[in-house]
Amino acid sequence: MNTTHVIFGTGPVGRAIMNELVNRGENVRMVNRSGHMELSKTQQKHVTISKANAYDVDAVRDVVHGAEVVYQAAQPSYSQWPEKFPPLQEAILEGTAAAGAKLVIADNLYMYGDVDGKIHEELPYSATTRKGQIRAQLAQTALDAHHDGKLQVTIGRAADFYGPYVRSSTLGERVFEPLLAGKTASVPGNPDLPHSYTFISDFGKALVMLGAHESAYGQVWHVPNASICTTRELVEKAAAQLGKPAKLSGMSTFMMRVGGLFVPEARETVEMMYEFNTPFVVDSSKFVATFGDISTPTEEGLRQTLAWYEHQLVTAA
């Protein structure tokens, strides 16, 4: 199979990129630690799975050999970011450069810190949180490599995800599984504040578009999101599709700290609580003006998300 696209990471973001490329008839190589991934029959026609150590520059170079575009959608667990994320991304960057390929990086918005107003690409990297500073370091290193002529790099940034395969997210299993069961969904912070959310398929499509346009390289892009609403309004829309009551509770910072005593992922979320205690609105006008508004309407994104969660619950039963 003549593969021109290589994706590091087979989680929700990697899958979303893969699906967009397969929809375009492209051949894809997915890379993870196991060399295994569940694929549909259609995907099997276009996708190969490779096992590789993404922390090893030579291994990265070998697995991306012959590729035109590499997508970096891999990350260590939340609690291992400080020691593992920088060497992971550095190896992928160096290996991709050695193979002569371009690099598209899937990123988030942590590096800006607590922003007063809309979050846009020209903001300084002012994060005081540990994870925000790591994200800032990773982004700056990648952009420096581009401007130094080492390789071509572009960065796409998304808000909190929701959609098929998205479990560990504000709008993940703690929301949709309880809703399906008629129970109370749980979200961090104040659910009555406006908050941008990115449908995972839109993120995948946006990253593929960035990788395909020479003009996108050397820049940061905020991917489009559907119209802004509060978290409560979004949960109410999901509940309405199910014909069930919208039961929702917000977890305070104190509650998250208590939860963090037992769950490492909850503990790591505490420093990011500012995102859920103040309005969190992303400005994607740069992307929209350049490439168009590709955002999926919220109702359709929720329909696909609920259908996936329903299937998972039926399969697990």
Side-chain angles (χ1 to χ4, degrees):
M1 183 182 290
N2 181 21
T3 303
T4 57
H5 301 271
V6 174
I7 303 171
F8 283 90
T10 52
V13 179
R15 279 185 171 275
I17 299 168
M18 176 194 74
N19 287 335
E20 178 61 24
L21 289 168
V22 169
N23 288 341
R24 292 174 177 228
E26 302 284 353
N27 293 325
V28 183
R29 179 181 302 128
M30 305 294 291
V31 182
N32 62 20
R33 292 172 293 180
S34 68
H36 299 287
M37 179 184 178
E38 182 182 343
L39 298 172
S40 69
K41 289 184 179 180
T42 300
Q43 292 165 345
Q44 290 172 12
K45 296 177 182 178
H46 295 271
V47 181
T48 58
I49 316 298
S50 294
K51 178 181 179 180
N53 178 9
Y55 290 88
D56 183 285
V57 174
D58 292 336
V60 172
R61 181 198 61 211
D62 291 344
V63 81
V64 305
H65 177 73
E68 293 181 11
V69 183
V70 174
Y71 303 84
Q72 161 35 0
Q75 66 176 38
S77 65
Y78 225 28
S79 58
Q80 294 180 315
W81 274 26
E83 62 270 23
K84 290 192 172 183
F85 211 162
L88 171 66
Q89 188 146 307
E90 181 67 16
I92 292 174
L93 191 154
E94 293 291 337
T96 300
K102 304 170 186 176
L103 183 62
V104 179
I105 296 175
D107 204 354
N108 68 12
L109 303 160
Y110 288 1
M111 69 290 300
Y112 301 119
D114 191 356
V115 175
D116 182 12
K118 288 188 176 182
I119 305 169
H120 57 84
E121 294 92 338
E122 299 304 316
L123 289 169
Y125 294 171
S126 300
T128 58
T129 61
R130 181 174 61 168
K131 286 180 288 298
Q133 291 174 345
I134 291 169
R135 280 293 193 181
Q137 172 195 338
L138 296 178
Q140 194 58 58
T141 298
L143 291 171
D144 287 346
H146 174 92
H147 294 303
D148 290 344
K150 179 178 288 187
L151 79 168
Q152 288 184 273
V153 177
T154 184
I155 299 175
R157 290 182 177 149
D160 295 293
F161 309 143
Y162 77 100
Y165 292 95
V166 178
R167 290 187 177 276
S168 298
S169 171
T170 304
L171 288 182
E173 59 189 2
R174 294 184 301 275
V175 169
F176 296 110
E177 289 184 0
L179 284 179
L180 284 163
K183 299 180 180 179
T184 302
S186 178
V187 296
N190 183 350
D192 294 309
L193 297 171
H195 195 104
S196 294
Y197 289 99
T198 302
F199 184 51
I200 193 69
S201 299
D202 294 344
F203 195 21
K205 184 174 184 177
L207 292 170
V208 170
M209 292 175 70
L210 293 177
H213 288 83
E214 290 293 324
S215 61
Y217 287 90
Q219 300 185 61
V220 171
W221 304 84
H222 291 174
V223 306
N225 305 300
S227 56
I228 305 301
C229 59
T230 69
T231 302
R232 186 182 302 279
E233 288 169 341
L234 195 148
V235 171
E236 288 173 345
K237 290 176 185 289
Q241 290 193 19
L242 295 171
K244 296 183 177 181
K247 301 176 183 178
L248 179 65
S249 67
M251 293 181 289
S252 67
T253 302
F254 173 76
M255 292 171 65
M256 294 298 293
R257 290 186 189 279
V258 172
L261 296 174
F262 309 98
V263 182
E265 298 299 305
R267 181 165 61 249
E268 290 296 327
T269 302
V270 172
E271 69 171 2
M272 307 309 303
M273 285 295 289
Y274 68 84
E275 293 187 352
F276 308 103
N277 290 324
T278 57
F280 190 81
V281 178
V282 180
D283 183 344
S284 307
S285 58
K286 175 184 172 182
F287 187 106
V288 172
T290 307
F291 303 111
D293 186 356
I294 61 166
S295 61
T296 299
T298 300
E299 288 75 8
E300 174 59 20
L302 289 172
R303 187 193 67 77
Q304 294 183 34
T305 303
L306 290 167
W308 183 83
Y309 269 95
E310 275 188 308
H311 177 74
Q312 298 306 302
L313 292 174
V314 170
T315 303

